[in-house]
Amino acid sequence: MNNKIKILLIPFIIIFGTIAAQEEQSGEKLKSYQKLEVGYMFGGQAYNDNFSYNPGFQGHGVFGFHITKRFNVGFGIGYYQLTKERFLPVFAEVNGYTKGNDKISNLITMQLGYAPGWYNEPIGYSDYNYSGGIMFDAGFALQIKINNTVSAYFKLSYRHQFAHISYELFRGTTHSESLNYDLLNIAFGIKYSK
């Protein structure tokens, strides 16, 4: 198994271990939550002292558990696209509330995962290979409780996406380069808790 994938499995193992330990300790089944989020991303790629503006939009869904009143963990899958690049992230998520069970609460959120990627337009190089990589997202949100089970939130976060390209310049000469995308994500989401 690829070492990057092994490393990215660690957050999932920790999450499920935490959930199992919390359920065993309390003797109760933990409450779960699901959420859907959509957002617009500003930013792009910095390389060779240049910046390439590359905005896009994103959407994802998450399934998770309320470990305590102020701490949630979950896992999700999503899709986001930049100008010509597309990514399909699979990630673990951790949320912490600065206030518990209030009508309006502040939320700190982090996501870590892997996002396979592809380039959406034809390229003039032979053997062009574009692949995604590790994705990290961290931010703050304002969550508004609509009723006992439904909340809406507005989120501002920083997202970093790694990617990699390789292609053949001339016969026998291959160019390979790591890419880094730095994005500011403004999002809206709906969260349903059981």
Side-chain angles (χ1 to χ4, degrees), residues 73-97:
V73 294
F75 55 93
I77 187 167
Y79 169 81
Y80 70 94
Q81 70 178 44
L82 304 176
T83 306
K84 297 177 183 173
E85 300 89 344
R86 308 292 185 260
F87 297 94
L88 192 64
V90 177
F91 56 88
E93 171 181 272
V94 176
N95 299 315
Y97 294 89

Side-chain angles (χ1 to χ4, degrees), residues 68-120:
T68 67
K69 290 181 181 179
R70 295 185 181 214
F71 182 67
N72 301 334
V73 294
F75 55 93
I77 187 167
Y79 169 81
Y80 70 94
Q81 70 178 44
L82 304 176
T83 306
K84 297 177 183 173
E85 300 89 344
R86 308 292 185 260
F87 297 94
L88 192 64
V90 177
F91 56 88
E93 171 181 272
V94 176
N95 299 315
Y97 294 89
T98 57
K99 295 181 179 180
N101 289 340
D102 292 331
K103 178 81 174 160
I104 298 176
S105 56
N106 297 314
L107 177 67
I108 298 169
T109 180
M110 287 188 237
Q111 298 171 344
L112 176 66
Y114 186 83
W118 63 96
Y119 204 76
N120 203 37

Side-chain angles (χ1 to χ4, degrees), residues 37-76:
E37 178 181 302
V38 294
Y40 191 79
M41 297 181 294
F42 302 90
Q45 182 183 7
Y47 60 95
N48 295 337
D49 297 326
N50 294 309
F51 183 77
S52 173
Y53 183 62
N54 201 354
F57 70 89
Q58 64 94 10
H60 68 257
V62 174
F63 178 80
F65 295 94
H66 299 280
I67 303 300
T68 67
K69 290 181 181 179
R70 295 185 181 214
F71 182 67
N72 301 334
V73 294
F75 55 93

